Amino acid sequence: MASVVELLRVEPGTTPTLADIDPRSTPGTRKDKADAKAETAEIGAELAELQEQLYAGARHGDPRRVLLVLQGMDTSGKGGAVKRVAGQVNPAGVRITGFGTPTEEELAHDFLWRIEKALPPAGTIGVFDRSHYEDVLIVRVHDLVPRAEWEARYDRINAWEAGLVEQGFTLLKVMLHISPDEQRERLLARLDDPTKHWKVNPADIDERAHWADYATAYEAALSRCSTAAAPWHVLPADRKWYRDWALSHLLLEALRDLDLSWPTPDLDLEGMRAALQG
Ligand code: AMP
Ligand code: MG
């Protein structure tokens, strides 16, 4: 069977049409919800071990690290996905950063300034809940900077990401793809639940009027910034169990590809044993 990475990957040089990707589809799994949930939990154990090997390697000079970049419309489940990833591995090895509306200080700098500051150190898994891609998404949809400025960002992003990959980063870029109907249900559910009211933002409802513009902006980013060094993936996310299953697989495949092993430092084990016993 093709890997989940391959199934969801946007092939470099192609332009995906989001309307042709069913957000309720479940590529790569013939399992039902209960079986998929069980498998997701099993994968967690392997993820935890691989993450510890990544961390151990960095203690012995391995520069490698993983950066999971999550993008998606409001309620697409970025927060749930973060919880899922973080809940499966040692929290000490994960760096989670959410990117909201830039502060004045951030706006005074280049758009990559705040992103660079949040990059994960060697040996860790970084998770971005939104990212530098907002600078070609919401910024493009709402004309927050002149067109020439956001147009130039696609190439800048590609060059910058390629540089990260050379330094030992594995970039896993994932768009959580939900339908407008599913978003309406999730926004309504928030209104019905007092424990979710803190998340309610009236602007999220107004943003729905721009759905088609967001789709165009996403398609441009997916097409122009899915590179061999750092490809994009579109993950159908209307079903939460599938989102968690597929995301766990994506991470697992990315970590397995690193061919990690336990470091073998040059230690005088016998000598130390004797010293402890003596
Ligand atoms: P949330 O993820 O629900 O906390 O919302 C964060 C908000 O910040 C979203 O509406 C994003 O579109 C917005 N945002 C994130 N990055 C940028 C950016 N670079 N410029 C403008 N708005 C942004
Ligand atoms: Mg929000």
Side-chain angles (χ1 to χ4, degrees):
M1 194 183 80
S3 70
V4 179
V5 162
E6 283 165 11
L7 285 171
L8 303 185
R9 184 168 55 208
V10 176
E11 287 310 322
T14 66
T15 304
T17 305
L18 288 171
D20 292 344
I21 304 173
D22 180 359
R24 292 188 68 74
S25 62
T26 59
T29 182
R30 259 180 262 109
K31 297 186 188 308
D32 65 14
K33 181 173 174 173
D35 286 348
K37 280 188 164 183
E39 199 189 0
T40 303
E42 274 168 37
I43 290 172
E46 190 177 344
L47 276 180
E49 177 165 354
L50 291 171
Q51 188 254 333
E52 194 165 330
Q53 285 183 331
L54 183 68
Y55 192 82
R59 296 289 292 269
H60 290 272
D62 189 334
R64 292 180 299 172
R65 63 205 83 176
V66 173
L67 176 58
L68 172 63
V69 174
L70 292 169
Q71 282 289 159
M73 300 294 280
D74 248 296
T75 76
S76 61
K78 300 183 294 297
V82 168
K83 267 196 228 167
R84 162 68 45 196
V85 175
Q88 283 174 319
V89 300
N90 183 341
V94 185
R95 299 282 180 282
I96 300 163
T97 312
F99 293 97
T101 312
T103 62
E104 267 187 37
E105 188 190 19
E106 287 168 347
L107 282 175
H109 288 85
D110 180 66
F111 75 102
L112 291 174
W113 180 73
R114 66 174 182 163
I115 311 292
E116 280 189 342
K117 284 200 302 180
L119 287 173
T124 64
I125 298 176
V127 184
F128 283 180
D129 177 347
R130 302 186 191 270
S131 66
H132 44 301
Y133 283 95
E134 292 293 328
D135 294 281
V136 291
L137 292 168
I138 188 171
V139 167
R140 171 174 169 155
V141 168
H142 290 288
D143 295 313
L144 300 181
V145 304
R147 180 179 186 117
E149 200 172 327
W150 58 253
E151 272 286 353
R153 288 179 176 170
Y154 298 98
D155 289 343
R156 286 226 22 232
I157 288 173
N158 288 342
W160 179 73
E161 290 181 353
L164 293 182
V165 171
E166 268 177 28
Q167 288 171 49
F169 281 75
T170 294
L171 262 72
L172 188 53
K173 303 190 293 192
V174 181
M175 182 221 178
L176 300 179
H177 175 45
I178 56 162
S179 61
D181 286 345
E182 179 66 19
Q183 190 195 51
R184 186 199 307 110
E185 293 311 309
R186 292 184 186 180
L187 288 172
L188 282 169
R190 275 186 190 173
L191 299 184
D192 291 340
D193 182 351
T195 71
K196 298 274 166 64
H197 285 175
W198 63 273
K199 287 197 213 184
V200 171
N201 179 356
D204 293 346
I205 292 159
D206 302 333
E207 281 301 88
R208 286 173 57 75
H210 300 286
W211 196 276
D213 295 336
Y214 271 106
T216 303
Y218 265 104
E219 284 165 357
L222 294 168
S223 161
R224 296 172 71 169
C225 298
S226 197
T227 58
W232 265 107
H233 304 82
V234 177
L235 194 164
D238 272 11
R239 299 175 198 263
K240 290 178 183 170
W241 63 264
Y242 178 74
R243 175 200 71 201
D244 291 344
W245 180 89
L247 190 68
S248 297
H249 270 276
L250 290 177
L251 264 174
L252 183 63
E253 289 172 17
L255 283 163
R256 279 183 181 163
D257 271 357
L258 296 180
D259 266 323
L260 297 163
S261 55
W262 294 110
T264 49
D266 193 12
L267 297 173
D268 175 13
L269 298 176
E270 276 315 310
M272 288 191 285
R273 227 173 251 130
L276 282 167
Q277 284 162 347

